Amino acid sequence: MNARTSNPGALPRLRALAYWIPTLIIVTESLVGGTWDILRTDYVRDVLETQLGLPTYVAVVLGVWKIPGAVVLLLPRLPRLKEWAYAGIFFVYTGAFASHLFIGDTAGAFGPLGFAAITMISWALRPASRRDPAPYSPRFARFVPPAPPRGKVTTIAYWALALTVAVVLFSGGIADVAHVDDTLAGMVALGYPAYFLYIIGTWKLLGAVAILAPRFTRLKEWAFAGAFFNFSGAVISHLASGSSGDHVAVTSLFALCTLGAWALRPGSQVLGDLYTGGDASTEPADRRALATVAS
């Protein structure tokens, strides 16, 4: 009798431990760091505002996003929402990493890079109940609706919104990376340093490609999440900076377009195959088995 036969539960326990250790590290850092951000402690002001040159309101915005993201990672199931939380946390850490590199603080860049790596370890090792929507979607169908029935109107609406978002991201990304004069002036007016354009511009270009590319449904979740974070962050930046109402309205419209495209995307671009309802006995046997394991 080998070790695997004599202790069949050892491997699942080890895998669970390997998942929960990095997850709790990220959750703790996000909860503590998010609280510090909202309070704008001396440490936060020194790093974000003095060293990285970010506007004063950014810390509060990051904190407000970090805390719900940490809570989502702790809650059971909710895999689609977890994808958005992982995406947001990864964007924060990689953005911090790149920011430190741009200001020449190589030593300071290793901390965010390490947390980004821990985030991806947690993401890679999460169990099926926290990864795939299909096994338990009936229970959460009212919170996470499946792709709507396809028709000409739905298809046209999806592509109109998706193309709008992709074009705005791609054109904006080009302008950011190229440091177009008007774009640079607008970013500086919002209080951001010039180097930030390189970071956000790169994300925009990658997001535009991911949204238009066929399949890669999990990557699309991250792209839609990133696009929404970008546009909603722009709304907050314009409001905090006292920009004209036109800027607030336009960026708000793009944020709504992003949510609309996400909601109307066809089934081939939806992460998981959501069960839409009905009696559980009509659900495929393999999915019922998965639901039993997930619960």
Side-chain angles (χ1 to χ4, degrees):
M1 181 179 293
N2 56 37
R4 180 178 298 179
T5 304
S6 61
N7 191 5
L11 186 59
R13 285 197 294 270
L14 286 175
R15 183 178 178 87
L17 189 64
Y19 162 73
W20 276 109
I21 288 176
T23 300
L24 290 176
I25 291 174
I26 295 302
V27 166
T28 301
E29 200 284 330
S30 295
L31 288 174
V32 174
T35 302
W36 286 5
D37 289 341
I38 293 174
L39 296 176
R40 292 184 62 236
T41 63
D42 292 341
Y43 173 78
V44 169
R45 291 201 303 271
D46 177 61
V47 174
L48 292 185
E49 299 170 20
T50 304
Q51 296 181 32
L52 299 182
L54 296 173
T56 58
Y57 57 82
V58 164
V60 178
V61 175
L62 288 176
V64 170
W65 277 344
K66 284 180 182 179
I67 293 175
V71 173
V72 167
L73 293 188
L74 280 180
L75 291 174
R77 301 189 169 101
L78 302 177
R80 197 178 305 277
L81 196 56
K82 281 180 171 53
E83 291 291 345
W84 284 54
Y86 275 117
I89 292 171
F90 182 76
F91 293 151
V92 167
Y93 289 139
T94 54
F97 165 71
S99 296
H100 281 283
L101 289 182
F102 274 114
I103 67 171
D105 182 18
T106 305
F110 284 107
L113 181 61
F115 281 119
I118 295 173
T119 300
M120 295 312 296
I121 293 173
S122 170
W123 176 84
L125 295 179
R126 66 203 190 284
S129 63
R130 292 168 171 259
R131 176 190 300 268
D132 302 316
Y136 49 90
S137 56
R139 190 177 303 174
F140 294 97
R142 66 181 183 276
F143 300 114
V144 186
R150 305 313 296 174
K152 288 184 178 180
V153 174
T154 304
T155 300
I156 292 173
Y158 164 73
W159 279 111
L161 293 172
L163 286 173
T164 297
V165 173
V167 168
V168 171
L169 289 176
F170 191 81
S171 60
I174 292 292
D176 290 342
V177 173
H179 274 206
V180 173
D181 290 342
D182 289 344
T183 302
L184 177 58
M187 186 64 72
V188 172
L190 293 177
Y192 291 90
Y195 72 78
F196 193 71
L197 285 171
Y198 292 118
I199 301 173
I200 198 169
T202 301
W203 282 339
K204 287 178 182 179
L205 293 173
L206 295 175
V209 172
I211 287 174
L212 293 181
R215 300 178 182 176
F216 300 106
T217 55
R218 202 173 297 274
L219 188 60
K220 287 185 188 299
E221 288 286 346
W222 283 52
F224 277 116
F228 180 74
F229 295 150
N230 170 72
F231 293 130
S232 60
V235 172
I236 296 171
S237 296
H238 284 297
L239 287 172
S241 302
S243 300
S244 66
D246 292 344
H247 289 94
V248 175
V250 170
T251 49
S252 297
L253 178 61
F254 290 148
L256 293 175
C257 286
T258 301
L259 293 179
W262 176 85
L264 294 176
R265 66 206 189 284
S268 62
Q269 301 191 43
V270 175
L271 175 62
D273 178 21
L274 288 178
Y275 177 59
T276 57
D279 186 79
S281 63
T282 64
E283 196 175 2
D286 58 344
R287 194 178 300 173
R288 293 202 304 273
L290 285 171
T292 302
V293 172
S295 60

